[in-house]
Amino acid sequence: MYQFDQELSALVFPMISKIEVALRVRLVEALLIHGEPLVLQDSSIFKEKKRYWQNMATVASEIARSNDVFIKHNFDNHDGEVPVWAAVEVLSFGTLSKIIKNLKTGTGSSYSILASNYQYRSKKGNLVKPSQKMLASWIQGVSVLRNMCAHNSRIYNRTIHTTPEILDADKITPPPAHNGLYQILLAMKYLRSSDEEWTVFVNAFDKLIQNNSDVVSFAAMNLPADWKEHLSV
């Protein structure tokens, strides 16, 4: 079981890294519609000004403690002005979530452009962009699992204390008492970097479960019997 947990973590962590890289790239592309490298300093693109300044304090702190060569380059050569594509590289997943949650919405907004990368099909079959609250909840859930993997924490048979918003088609009835791996894997699916990479991941996850079927249980991971149908794209 311990071996399974290690292999599971080794499978999940690289997939989260791909999701994270894709999110950073997509966020930068969405923010650059304003044509301003220092767009993160523009409070007019954010909804709540108090939250904006709270987030900027965190952004400043995370930039200041970075030892990355591209941050030092901007300190040394550009009077300390850090463009958005450099800043986003050093921000934590949690900080990215807070920035995204506070962006103004509406047609043509940075949020609308970002959210178009994460559309899903409604019950009627229409493509729908996730709300800010929904998208942020997915990022937060994946961030928690990422940190667990990074610190070599057990992820099998584990209650995960975060609540990503699950699409109706993927909800378990009756709902589980606590969130577990299944709910976070769904958030990963919604945030996937590409359909191809996600399909490879799901197949590898399925194979890992099959190879350890004598020691692991679906219930310990909150997986319904038809989990693969839900996780597949």
Side-chain angles (χ1 to χ4, degrees):
M1 194 174 289
Y2 172 76
Q3 184 69 30
F4 169 79
D5 188 70
Q6 281 203 317
E7 291 181 25
L8 178 59
S9 183
L11 177 65
V12 167
F13 194 58
M15 189 66 239
I16 291 178
S17 295
K18 291 175 182 177
I19 289 169
E20 192 173 347
V21 168
L23 177 67
R24 292 178 194 277
V25 170
R26 291 164 178 171
L27 177 59
V28 169
E29 289 175 346
L31 289 169
L32 283 176
I33 63 160
H34 299 284
E36 173 52 66
L38 303 178
V39 64
L40 285 180
Q41 298 177 25
D42 182 1
S43 64
S44 70
I45 70 168
F46 296 97
K47 293 185 296 188
E48 295 182 27
K49 306 312 175 185
K50 182 176 181 179
R51 180 176 292 176
Y52 161 76
W53 283 110
Q54 290 171 336
N55 291 343
M56 282 304 293
T58 305
V59 167
S61 175
E62 293 183 3
I63 289 174
R65 69 169 179 255
S66 170
N67 293 316
D68 284 291
V69 64
F70 54 87
I71 296 295
K72 186 176 186 299
H73 168 80
N74 285 287
F75 284 172
D76 295 344
N77 299 287
H78 298 286
D79 203 26
E81 299 285 14
V82 180
V84 62
W85 54 84
V88 163
E89 285 296 313
V90 300
L91 299 183
S92 70
F93 227 30
T95 301
L96 291 177
S97 175
K98 290 175 182 176
I99 289 172
I100 290 167
K101 201 171 181 179
N102 198 31
L103 284 171
K104 284 183 177 177
T105 57
T107 304
S109 66
S110 288
Y111 178 77
S112 178
I113 291 170
L114 174 65
S116 66
N117 292 287
Y118 300 106
Q119 294 180 108
Y120 61 91
R121 292 214 171 268
S122 68
K123 284 183 177 180
K124 295 181 179 179
N126 299 320
L127 279 175
V128 181
K129 294 177 184 177
S131 68
Q132 282 177 302
K133 182 172 176 287
M134 178 179 277
L135 184 59
S137 79
W138 297 344
I139 297 169
Q140 184 60 34
V142 173
S143 175
V144 168
L145 184 57
R146 177 199 180 281
N147 292 338
M148 289 166 63
C149 291
H151 292 97
N152 298 310
S153 298
R154 173 174 55 86
I155 58 177
Y156 175 73
N157 197 20
R158 180 81 176 263
T159 295
I160 300 177
H161 295 288
T162 185
T163 312
E165 286 195 34
I166 305 304
L167 303 183
D168 288 343
D170 297 321
K171 289 179 179 176
I172 299 174
T173 305
H178 304 285
N179 282 324
L181 186 63
Y182 173 68
Q183 285 73 22
I184 311 301
L185 288 176
L186 285 171
M188 289 173 61
K189 172 193 168 182
Y190 306 151
L191 293 171
R192 63 190 178 278
S193 47
S194 74
D195 289 356
E196 294 77 16
E197 288 180 334
W198 183 252
T199 298
V200 170
F201 169 80
V202 171
N203 289 336
F205 179 57
D206 187 26
K207 185 176 180 181
L208 179 62
I209 290 176
Q210 290 180 28
N211 290 344
N212 293 272
S213 58
D214 55 331
V215 293
V216 301
S217 76
F218 285 4
M221 295 179 282
N222 271 20
L223 293 176
D226 59 348
W227 67 267
K228 193 170 183 182
E229 179 183 328
H230 292 285
L231 288 185
S232 297
V233 293

